[in-house]
Amino acid sequence: MNSPPPLLLLGLSLLLFLSLPTPSLAAERCNPNDKKVLLKIKKSFGNPYLLASWVSSSDCCDWYQVECDRTTNRIISLTIFAGNLSGQIPAAVGDLPYLQTLVFRKLSNLTGTIPSAIAKLTHLTLVELSWTNLTGPVPAFFAQLKNLTFLDLSFNDLSGSIPPELGQLTNLDAIHLDRNKLTGKIPEWIFTGDVPDIYLSHNQLTGPIPKSFGYYNYTTLDFSRNMLSGDLSFLFGSNKTVQIVDFSRNKLEFKLSNVVFPASLTSLDLNHNKIFGSLPEELTTLNFQYLNVSYNRLCGKIPTGGKLQSFAATSYFHNKCLCGAPLPAC
Ligand SMILES: *[C@@H]1O[C@H](CO)[C@@H](O)[C@H](O)[C@H]1NC(C)=O
Ligand SMILES: *[C@@H]1O[C@H](CO)[C@@H](O)[C@H](O)[C@H]1NC(C)=O
Ligand SMILES: *[C@@H]1O[C@H](CO)[C@@H](O)[C@H](O)[C@H]1NC(C)=O
Ligand SMILES: *[C@@H]1O[C@H](CO)[C@@H](O)[C@H](O)[C@H]1NC(C)=O
Ligand SMILES: *[C@@H]1O[C@H](CO)[C@@H](O)[C@H](O)[C@H]1NC(C)=O
Ligand SMILES: *[C@@H]1O[C@H](CO)[C@@H](O)[C@H](O)[C@H]1NC(C)=O
Ligand SMILES: *[C@@H]1O[C@H](CO)[C@@H](O)[C@H](O)[C@H]1NC(C)=O
């Protein structure tokens, strides 16, 4: 049997390959600058398996973890989530000028600080850098990203205080700075305007809650597990719209008796503070799903009615002299 020599076959197929149009190149949508930047990012992480689809021979609009705009074909989203990625967020991220979404999430080997190059990305609307080992401060430069609607820096090792500049971000729907190592006071006039959901829990924040929080409407305020002190009653009032309030495990010290809770309130957790006085009668008119005032210095009879007797005794226990169902009779 005479088979063609292998070298000839190779030559023939090479010829065939070269004479064909190369469809991947012809149809490439990817912007060459974006591609160059992404490959630089990949390299800076040591070409990890997680970014294996990022190869120069293919269209970057087809790569995993990124998304191109349908008309401009520029990279608008970089979402790196749950994988084995080691190193720091490279400054090259700032060279994807049309980025709207930037996510680094659940990457325990992501370290270093949040690079200032991100400040160049003025189109950003969503930033989520969470569940990583990022350190350093919460950068004030986020205030320059006026179109941000969602900023999540939770579950990291960020330290220092909350930069007052973040108060300039008035388009935020939610801010998550919880589960870090933030210290200092909460700045006055921050997250006002219209920032409905604020999560600052599990930090080491001190001082009083700024009075400015009393002038606005919020949906969720989770400031639990800090060292906040003083009064909270100005957050409430009959014409407020707040729904979920968690200030548990702080050092709040104020009289609860005269606080007027809004009808919107569905969840109130104030456990482990130094709150005194008695439970206001009108708590019985609220449609609570959750209430916990345990470990305070409250006194007097738990008002009867509404949802108040539907909670376990642990919602009320460890107070100075609270009594009546579900606690023992007065
Ligand atoms: C983090 O890095 C260490 C050391 O290289 C490695 O052993 C570990 O598997 C990595 N973990 C993750 C989740 O990437
Ligand atoms: C993560 O990557 C490092 C280095 O590439 C490797 O040593 C380690 O085994 C990997 N860990 C996991 C959980 O895959
Ligand atoms: C940060 O890294 C340490 C080890 O260096 C690890 O134990 C921890 O789980 C990491 N944190 C997160 C949030 O992954
Ligand atoms: C910010 O958002 C507005 C309204 O959606 C839009 O018109 C504007 O172009 C955006 N600015 C940037 C820098 O993306
Ligand atoms: C809060 O909401 C209530 C009820 O919708 C409204 O009457 C009040 O003006 C709002 N306050 C602010 C500061 O927006
Ligand atoms: C309702 O809210 C407005 C604006 O925040 C305030 O001026 C007014 O006194 C409040 N009214 C009542 C009944 O609390
Ligand atoms: C209320 O909070 C205390 C303290 O954290 C806890 O022990 C108790 O189980 C909570 N009660 C309910 C009903 O969640």
Side-chain angles (χ1 to χ4, degrees), residues 182-259:
L182 303 179
T183 52
K185 291 183 178 179
I186 301 171
E188 285 272 353
W189 304 108
I190 197 163
F191 314 135
T192 55
D194 227 338
V195 186
D197 296 313
I198 303 178
Y199 298 84
L200 302 179
S201 73
H202 293 81
N203 281 293
Q204 291 144 38
L205 300 169
T206 52
I209 293 127
K211 286 281 188 291
S212 50
F213 279 97
Y215 302 132
Y216 296 94
N217 283 319
Y218 300 93
T219 305
T220 305
L221 295 172
D222 183 357
F223 291 40
S224 62
R225 293 187 191 245
N226 279 288
M227 295 181 286
L228 300 167
S229 56
D231 194 358
L232 192 65
S233 40
F234 58 85
L235 282 184
F236 302 105
S238 60
N239 67 358
K240 287 290 171 42
T241 58
V242 71
Q243 292 169 22
I244 298 168
V245 175
D246 188 350
F247 278 78
S248 62
R249 296 182 191 258
N250 277 287
K251 296 180 172 177
L252 300 174
E253 202 167 357
F254 65 97
K255 190 175 181 182
L256 199 64
S257 321
N258 302 323
V259 176

Side-chain angles (χ1 to χ4, degrees), residues 83-86 108-109:
N84 192 352
L85 196 77
S86 295
S108 57
N109 284 343

Side-chain angles (χ1 to χ4, degrees), residues 249 269 271-272 290-292 294-295 311-312 314-315 317:
R249 296 182 191 258
D269 196 345
N271 84 70
H272 281 96
Y290 186 79
L291 176 71
N292 198 332
S294 66
Y295 293 92
F311 300 116
T314 59
S315 283
F317 70 170

Side-chain angles (χ1 to χ4, degrees), residues 254-324:
F254 65 97
K255 190 175 181 182
L256 199 64
S257 321
N258 302 323
V259 176
V260 177
F261 292 103
S264 54
L265 195 62
T266 58
S267 177
L268 179 65
D269 196 345
L270 298 174
N271 84 70
H272 281 96
N273 280 286
K274 300 174 188 169
I275 300 165
F276 55 93
S278 59
L279 292 179
E281 186 68 36
E282 51 101 22
L283 283 178
T284 61
T285 64
L286 299 185
N287 193 20
F288 277 120
Q289 278 152 33
Y290 186 79
L291 176 71
N292 198 332
V293 294
S294 66
Y295 293 92
N296 277 292
R297 295 174 182 172
L298 296 164
C299 254
K301 186 174 182 298
I302 297 170
T304 308
K307 293 283 174 81
L308 296 191
Q309 275 66 42
S310 70
F311 300 116
T314 59
S315 283
Y316 303 102
F317 70 170
H318 289 280
N319 271 288
K320 199 168 150 203
C321 48
L322 267 188
C323 57

